[in-house]
Amino acid sequence: MNGRLVTVLGGAGYGKTTVVAQAQAVAPFPGVWLSCDDRLGGAPDLLAHLATGMERLVPGFGTRLEFGGPVENQVTEFCNELVAAAPDDVVLVLDDVHLLDAEGSEAVGALLRDLPSSVHLVLVGRAALPFALGKIRAGQLLAVTEVELRLTDAELAALWGAG
């Protein structure tokens, strides 16, 4: 993976989830996948689900975490646990980030600032992200948009056996 943050943004039907799932399947390090939807209620749920996913990779991960209080504090505790217990490299995939509520989006924005360098974050969604990416250092952001997800005429012809 190129960098610490990957964004894959595009409209419905562009194959965002499929592309990321295929990339994760061949990634050289483990990952946690979280599909965001309207049942995910803010920062505590988001972080608790990520901690549960990490617990599958690192038994005992997050058992002492309590998600309450200011979002910044919750994210700091989660990131401290990642520093202490996570493998050398791990990917956190958040699919459908456009469905997160304001508090969940705030938590993702805080994760961007606080994640250890061994953690790669992949954000998949249909809309522009509700937080700034301007402070991400050059080379640490890979942005995939609808333009990169579109098939060229030659690729379409090859797909249908006409090329």
Side-chain angles (χ1 to χ4, degrees), residues 4 7-8 15 20 23 52 54 61 64 87-88 96 98 108 110 113 120 141 143 151-152 155 160 162:
R4 211 176 103 194
T7 61
V8 183
V20 173
T52 298
M54 283 300 302
F61 182 94
R64 296 181 311 260
D88 289 338
D96 288 331
H98 61 279
V108 174
R113 290 187 303 274
H120 308 278
L141 171 63
L151 295 175
T152 66
E155 290 167 332
W160 296 111

Side-chain angles (χ1 to χ4, degrees), residues 21-92:
Q22 290 173 339
Q24 182 58 39
V26 298
F29 33 86
V32 172
W33 189 289
L34 176 59
S35 295
C36 304
D37 63 28
D38 55 3
R39 295 172 294 172
L40 199 58
D45 282 352
L46 173 75
L47 295 169
H49 280 80
L50 287 173
T52 298
M54 283 300 302
E55 201 275 333
R56 292 184 184 130
L57 301 177
V58 181
F61 182 94
T63 55
R64 296 181 311 260
L65 293 176
E66 294 182 21
F67 298 112
V71 171
E72 292 284 334
N73 293 353
Q74 295 176 50
V75 171
T76 297
E77 286 185 39
F78 178 76
C79 290
N80 287 343
E81 183 79 0
L82 284 170
V83 168
D88 289 338
D89 279 294
V90 66
V91 177
L92 302 180

Side-chain angles (χ1 to χ4, degrees), residues 2-7 133 136-143:
N2 293 334
R4 211 176 103 194
L5 173 65
V6 176
T7 61
L133 300 177
I136 303 296
R137 285 182 282 173
Q140 286 192 315
L141 171 63
L142 171 62

